[in-house]
Amino acid sequence: ESEISLVQLAERLNKAKSHEVNNDTVNAVIIQFDQKLSKHGGLSHDQKKALYHMTSPDQLSCIVGYAGAGKTTALEAAKEIWEAEGYKVYGLAPTGRATQNLEQSGFSSQTLHKFLKYHKEGRCQYKANSVLAIDEAWMVDTARFDEFLQAIDDLKVKAVIVGDGAQLQSVEAGPAFRLVTGKIGSSHLEKIVRQQEGWQQEATKLFGTLKT
């Protein structure tokens, strides 16, 4: 019942439209990042597709990617697009370590548990013009994921959930990330950009698909 409720809410949020951005802004930021990353060949095709997906008007968007496929870089580019359009962008993560990683990428961040506690107490800082990016979302259990989506619905903010279903799973019950991405779809980052050697890129994909 919890999983059905979670999926239904995710579907409704995915169909809701909010936080529109101008395509010209998206294109300008892609050019800027292509120049910044020119020695690595610029943004990958997957990263560009993910950018258009994340910055679509859908109130809920999902990004799935292997470790090393450039999820963080894509998030940084998306942050620039939203901020250029007047939105405030914040990071959330299920662990303190992941929160620190988001902070290093320029996101004002806090743990998911702290956000949910503040929202329950009516002390939440996020307004309707906010965008929340939750990283390492595969580690969030079904009950907590449902609570998160309820908060998104209540606050009228946009949420982008980012993760890799094959990595470390939630400690508590339910494969929430897999359920949501399986139902509403997602943009996939499959080209490995962190490793430059061919055999390393292949090894990373094999680890990411549980073919160790």
Side-chain angles (χ1 to χ4, degrees):
E1 286 176 1
S2 297
E3 290 177 351
I4 289 167
S5 160
L6 169 74
V7 166
Q8 286 174 341
L9 178 53
E11 282 185 302
R12 181 160 63 77
L13 289 171
N14 181 240
K15 285 173 185 159
K17 302 302 172 195
S18 67
H19 301 69
E20 287 193 35
V21 302
N22 192 314
N23 254 359
D24 290 344
T25 308
V26 182
N27 295 333
V29 169
I30 285 175
I31 290 168
Q32 176 193 327
F33 269 72
D34 272 344
Q35 289 169 345
K36 194 161 102 176
L37 302 168
S38 58
K39 65 177 180 183
H40 304 295
L43 291 170
S44 72
H45 176 67
D46 288 353
Q47 286 173 315
K48 290 174 185 176
K49 260 175 54 186
L51 269 179
Y52 283 109
H53 181 76
M54 278 191 278
T55 58
S56 73
D58 302 344
Q59 195 180 347
L60 178 66
S61 304
C62 306
I63 300 295
V64 179
Y66 302 127
K71 295 188 293 290
T72 304
T73 301
L75 268 180
E76 287 172 9
K79 179 176 180 284
E80 293 215 9
I81 292 164
W82 286 314
E83 287 178 342
E85 294 283 315
Y87 299 115
K88 302 281 186 187
V89 187
Y90 304 94
L92 292 174
T95 65
R97 178 60 189 268
T99 304
Q100 288 171 0
N101 291 341
L102 281 169
E103 291 274 1
Q104 286 169 3
S105 296
F107 288 80
S108 172
S109 305
Q110 61 179 324
T111 62
L112 176 63
H113 288 68
K114 187 176 180 180
F115 160 67
L116 294 175
K117 182 175 186 289
Y118 277 18
H119 177 253
K120 198 179 281 184
E121 294 170 354
R123 295 194 289 143
C124 195
Q125 62 174 322
Y126 307 125
K127 308 284 185 259
N129 75 331
S130 300
V131 177
L132 302 186
I134 175 164
D135 197 13
E136 300 198 349
W138 63 83
M139 291 179 67
V140 184
D141 61 276
T142 297
R144 209 86 55 218
F145 215 115
D146 188 56
E147 210 181 323
F148 169 68
L149 293 186
Q150 299 278 3
I152 296 307
D153 193 27
D154 180 43
L155 295 166
K156 306 302 175 211
V157 300
K158 178 181 171 76
V160 175
I161 61 175
V162 181
D164 173 0
Q167 289 196 41
L168 192 64
Q169 300 300 297
S170 61
V171 174
E172 294 176 70
F177 181 75
R178 213 158 57 234
L179 285 169
V180 170
T181 54
K183 196 67 181 174
I184 70 170
S186 58
S187 184
H188 283 251
L189 290 166
E190 295 184 350
K191 180 177 167 56
I192 305 301
V193 293
R194 186 181 299 155
Q195 283 82 24
Q196 299 303 310
E197 296 289 333
W199 71 266
Q200 291 178 342
Q201 292 173 336
E202 188 188 353
T204 301
K205 273 194 182 182
L206 291 169
F207 277 120
T209 50
L210 306 181
K211 294 172 184 167
T212 314

